[in-house]
Amino acid sequence: MAYHSGYGAHGSKHRARAAPDPPPLFDDTSGGYSSQPGGYPAPGADVAFNVNHLLGDPMANIAMAYGSSIASHGKDTFNKELHRFVSVNKLKYFFAVDTAYVAKKLGLLVFPYTHQNWEVQYNRDVPLPPRQDLNAPDLYIPTMAFITYVLLAGMALGIQKRFSPEVLGLCASTALVWVVMEVLALLLGVYLATVRSDLNTFHLLAYSGYKYVGMILSVLSGLLFGSDGYYVALAWTSSALMYFIVRSLRTAALGPDSMGGPAPRQRLQLYLTLGAAAFQPLIIYWLTFHLVR
């Protein structure tokens, strides 16, 4: 009986030889580095790794989510209390902004040295809204910057494994209290210096709240580039904010007419402006140095 098997005519069994695996189409760059001669990292790999680390940390994401809820709750509470004591129609002036104004104002806060005209524009003795006048103070940027600062603080605390609701709440409340104390001190200084101007609480709150922009840039630079990046950003934003405050308070807020009068009054007004400007870097440092380690 003839048995048919898988053998050929010569009785040898043919076996298929496995083909080698094809080379990968792309290099594995999941480690944050691309293949470079000598094993050196690609340019910008450290920054990319830091960004991925910041965004991928689960504790940082939880901290940011909690910070967002705190900021939203605080904003709702603030709006409810605001309706009780403040005319909303007057407050709308400080939120009359558009995208072009916000972009230009942020650029002015970061680099104010080339700006020439600092006078607030008027139309029939009524100041133009911020969207029509770059020199007009607004409360939109300080409000959004404060919320962003709280979120960034939560992320920084989460990365450092120091996050807790109590610590983040203390960080947010401290930043808010310092601004309120600064506004009260400025109001007292304006009263003692007998400054004759249209400067009110909302103007001072706007100028005081612009520091949150510098705080965000300082903390973000510290998280990405370490302590060296933090101190470089701190020095730059502080000097830019001091220049902005001096020029704004002397020209836009106080007005050139208010700088007249007796010599003692002029000196008092000058000391008030310089004191308000010199106070900014101290607050920025006090509210941000513990977030960068």
Side-chain angles (χ1 to χ4, degrees):
M1 181 179 295
Y3 294 94
H4 298 280
S5 62
Y7 292 92
H10 300 285
S12 61
K13 187 176 182 179
H14 297 283
R15 300 187 181 185
R17 183 175 299 175
D21 295 333
L25 296 178
F26 302 99
D27 292 333
D28 184 11
T29 58
S30 60
Y33 298 98
S34 61
S35 57
Q36 296 287 332
Y40 293 101
D46 292 336
V47 176
F49 176 77
N50 290 337
V51 173
N52 293 333
H53 177 69
L54 295 180
L55 299 179
D57 195 324
M59 182 61 72
N61 294 333
I62 295 175
M64 288 186 63
Y66 187 80
S68 178
S69 64
I70 288 182
S72 299
H73 178 70
K75 183 179 178 182
D76 295 338
T77 304
F78 177 77
N79 290 334
K80 290 180 181 179
E81 296 297 326
L82 194 63
H83 282 274
R84 297 172 54 187
F85 303 102
V86 179
S87 174
V88 178
N89 292 329
K90 294 181 179 179
L91 193 61
K92 285 182 178 179
Y93 166 83
F94 294 92
F95 288 91
V97 301
D98 54 15
T99 306
Y101 168 83
V102 173
K104 292 180 180 178
K105 197 58 172 276
L106 291 176
L108 182 61
L109 290 171
V110 175
F111 194 83
Y113 306 108
T114 58
H115 191 60
Q116 299 297 327
N117 184 18
W118 291 85
E119 294 184 1
V120 177
Q121 305 299 318
Y122 286 81
N123 181 19
R124 297 179 181 178
D125 296 333
V126 177
L128 295 177
R131 63 171 173 265
Q132 299 179 12
D133 183 14
L134 183 61
N135 297 322
D138 73 282
L139 288 174
Y140 176 81
I141 292 178
T143 302
M144 294 297 104
F146 173 75
I147 295 175
T148 305
Y149 164 74
V150 174
L151 297 178
L152 192 61
M155 185 179 71
L157 293 172
I159 292 172
Q160 300 170 13
K161 310 301 181 184
R162 297 190 296 121
F163 173 79
S164 68
E166 293 79 9
V167 174
L168 185 59
L170 180 63
C171 182
S173 60
T174 302
L176 195 59
V177 167
W178 271 109
V179 170
V180 173
M181 293 176 59
E182 181 183 356
V183 171
L184 293 177
L186 287 174
L187 287 174
L188 179 61
V190 169
Y191 173 77
L192 295 177
T194 62
V195 175
R196 300 184 302 271
S197 69
D198 295 331
L199 197 67
N200 58 33
T201 305
F202 291 134
H203 289 88
L204 296 178
L205 187 61
Y207 288 119
S208 178
Y210 286 138
K211 70 169 59 65
Y212 291 127
V213 176
M215 292 164 59
I216 293 171
L217 294 178
S218 299
V219 174
L220 194 58
S221 299
L223 293 178
L224 293 177
F225 306 106
S227 59
D228 293 338
Y230 166 75
Y231 285 110
V232 170
L234 176 66
W236 179 267
T237 55
S238 298
S239 60
L241 184 61
M242 290 173 62
Y243 184 87
F244 174 84
I245 292 295
V246 170
R247 295 303 304 268
S248 297
L249 288 181
R250 282 179 60 88
T251 307
L254 299 180
D257 295 335
S258 64
M259 300 305 293
R265 181 180 298 175
Q266 292 185 31
R267 286 197 298 268
L268 241 131
Q269 294 167 358
L270 179 61
Y271 294 155
L272 173 64
T273 305
L274 296 179
F279 200 53
Q280 303 305 312
L282 299 178
I283 301 181
I284 294 177
Y285 175 76
W286 180 256
L287 295 176
T288 56
F289 80 97
H290 64 282
L291 298 176
V292 179
R293 291 185 177 180

